[in-house]
Amino acid sequence: MTKTAMICIKVVIVLQLLFILALGYFFTDIKMEKYYSDKSNYINATGIVTHISYNEDQSLLCFGFSDLDPQFDDNSFKIVGDNLLIVRQNGIDEKIKIGDQVSFITAPKYFGDGYIMPIVEISVNGEELLDFEEGFANLLKWLG
């Protein structure tokens, strides 16, 4: 077999692997949209804030919790998209600190290593910073 034929075979194999990976991501996105579109998948939870951070471009706010009730596969949760704008306008940076007990609503399915579950409603000290109906609609918009 010529050197050119071997290179062509290797290129075809690499392209096939990339195609398979792309399909996997595509189907994961479809599964996530279907899962998050079903309101019955969302549950109320509480936890003590142990970690608060934004990503580099401040488009994602991440929380870590201890004493979660109920227990989840992970203790990290995120607020993204228009939901992040809403909670920032409602003063989340001043109103939630490490050590605070927070109530929130999330859909608890864990989609693999590094996945962070979304928050679609959040309140602290009885003050709602994000309403479920608005948070739910905004998450679906962000996913789409």
Side-chain angles (χ1 to χ4, degrees):
M1 193 175 288
T2 68
K3 187 174 182 178
T4 303
M6 288 298 291
I7 290 173
C8 287
I9 290 171
K10 288 179 182 179
V11 168
V12 167
I13 291 171
V14 168
L15 289 174
Q16 287 175 334
L17 290 173
L18 289 174
F19 179 74
I20 291 168
L21 285 173
L23 279 178
Y25 285 116
F26 174 75
F27 287 117
T28 298
D29 286 348
I30 289 173
K31 286 180 189 176
M32 285 174 56
E33 281 189 54
K34 183 177 180 184
Y35 175 75
Y36 288 125
S37 295
D38 184 351
K39 286 185 178 179
S40 69
N41 289 325
Y42 292 83
I43 61 171
N44 293 300
T46 60
I48 305 295
V49 177
T50 60
H51 175 84
I52 306 170
S53 66
Y54 286 93
N55 64 348
E56 283 184 22
D57 65 0
Q58 303 234 339
S59 63
L60 177 143
L61 176 58
C62 185
F63 287 94
F65 292 102
S66 66
D67 302 328
L68 280 167
D69 183 25
Q71 291 294 310
F72 295 93
D73 289 336
D74 197 1
N75 64 351
S76 297
F77 298 83
K78 66 184 174 188
I79 301 175
V80 294
D82 289 345
N83 290 340
L84 180 56
L85 298 174
I86 292 166
V87 296
R88 289 186 87 179
Q89 288 172 350
N90 290 332
I92 197 166
D93 295 323
E94 296 79 34
K95 294 177 181 174
I96 296 181
K97 302 294 183 201
I98 292 176
D100 288 344
Q101 182 169 4
V102 174
S103 298
F104 60 97
I105 295 179
T106 188
K109 186 168 182 169
Y110 188 68
F111 285 93
D113 286 348
Y115 185 75
I116 304 173
M117 293 172 276
I119 291 175
V120 294
E121 178 181 298
I122 190 165
S123 60
V124 62
N125 298 323
E127 182 180 355
E128 187 175 81
L129 303 177
L130 177 64
D131 168 72
F132 174 75
E133 291 300 327
E134 189 171 26
F136 172 78
N138 288 338
L139 177 64
L140 295 182
K141 184 171 87 173
W142 181 79
L143 288 169

